[in-house]
Amino acid sequence: MKKIYKKYFLIIILILIIDIISKLWILKYFDLYETTEILSVLNLFHVHNYGVAFSIFSSETLWNRCFLSILSIIIIVFIFKEIVKIEKKEKTDFCFILAGAIGNLIDRIHYGFVIDFIDIHINNWHFATFNISDCSIFLGMIIYIKKRIKTNFK
């Protein structure tokens, strides 16, 4: 394995380890729907997401579970091909997206849902509850967009 790919492989593995450990911790120490305030704008709130972002497609059916798992696998394969295809360019954005997609796919296959627990809120307004994999995907998208903007304005 090329040295450059080891770097990206380690990024993916590190994110997956943090994601899996955090979800196992939530499962062990929090009941479903249990909330603990961390900061005035941050709670840990154990929920199960049967859908995708913002609980879209959130039915607890086998069809839904299979459909979303297959969709995730297709996305993961596509991103992996992009990582391999791109030469001599920074691939951190794709690694973050890939790690997040794999982390949520592991949940979906193993549990039938994704474990979410990060609840950011201001007073009674709550953003969608999310997890480390979601943070990784979001960060990867920010890096990707920033690179594209930078490239387009040169």
Side-chain angles (χ1 to χ4, degrees):
M1 183 184 290
K2 292 181 184 178
K3 187 176 182 179
I4 189 82
Y5 287 113
K6 287 182 183 176
K7 168 187 163 185
Y8 298 123
F9 181 73
L10 288 174
I11 290 170
I12 293 167
I13 295 301
L14 180 63
I15 293 168
L16 283 171
I17 289 170
I18 293 168
D19 180 61
I20 290 167
I21 289 172
S22 66
K23 291 172 179 174
L24 289 173
W25 185 79
I26 289 295
L27 284 172
K28 183 173 182 175
Y29 293 106
F30 283 75
D31 292 328
L32 187 59
Y33 305 119
E34 182 178 345
T35 302
T36 298
E37 183 178 312
I38 304 300
L39 300 169
S40 62
V41 294
L42 174 66
N43 295 334
L44 292 181
F45 175 45
H46 179 188
V47 294
H48 297 165
N49 184 353
Y50 292 88
V52 291
F54 305 103
S55 295
I56 298 169
F57 303 120
S58 63
S59 67
E60 298 180 35
T61 64
L62 179 61
W63 181 91
N64 191 57
R65 180 179 180 181
C66 291
F67 170 75
L68 293 176
S69 295
I70 290 168
L71 182 63
S72 295
I73 291 167
I74 291 168
I75 292 168
I76 288 166
V77 168
F78 173 78
I79 294 170
F80 183 77
K81 284 183 174 183
E82 288 297 308
I83 290 171
V84 172
K85 184 172 74 173
I86 299 171
E87 292 189 30
K88 297 184 181 180
K89 284 191 176 184
E90 184 65 28
K91 305 170 190 202
T92 307
D93 50 350
F94 288 115
C95 291
F96 276 86
I97 296 166
L98 184 62
I102 292 170
N104 283 338
L105 177 63
I106 290 169
D107 277 12
R108 194 168 308 286
I109 290 171
H110 185 66
Y111 302 111
F113 51 82
V114 174
I115 300 160
D116 287 333
F117 57 90
I118 301 170
D119 174 33
I120 295 177
H121 60 91
I122 298 172
N123 296 322
N124 289 327
W125 179 84
H126 292 258
F127 186 71
T129 307
F130 55 97
N131 59 44
I132 302 299
S133 284
D134 298 332
C135 293
S136 181
I137 293 168
F138 179 76
L139 182 58
M141 289 303 300
I142 295 297
I143 296 168
Y144 178 83
I145 291 166
K146 182 181 174 196
K147 282 179 12 183
R148 297 306 169 257
I149 290 171
K150 190 176 177 182
T151 301
N152 291 336
F153 288 105
K154 279 189 175 183

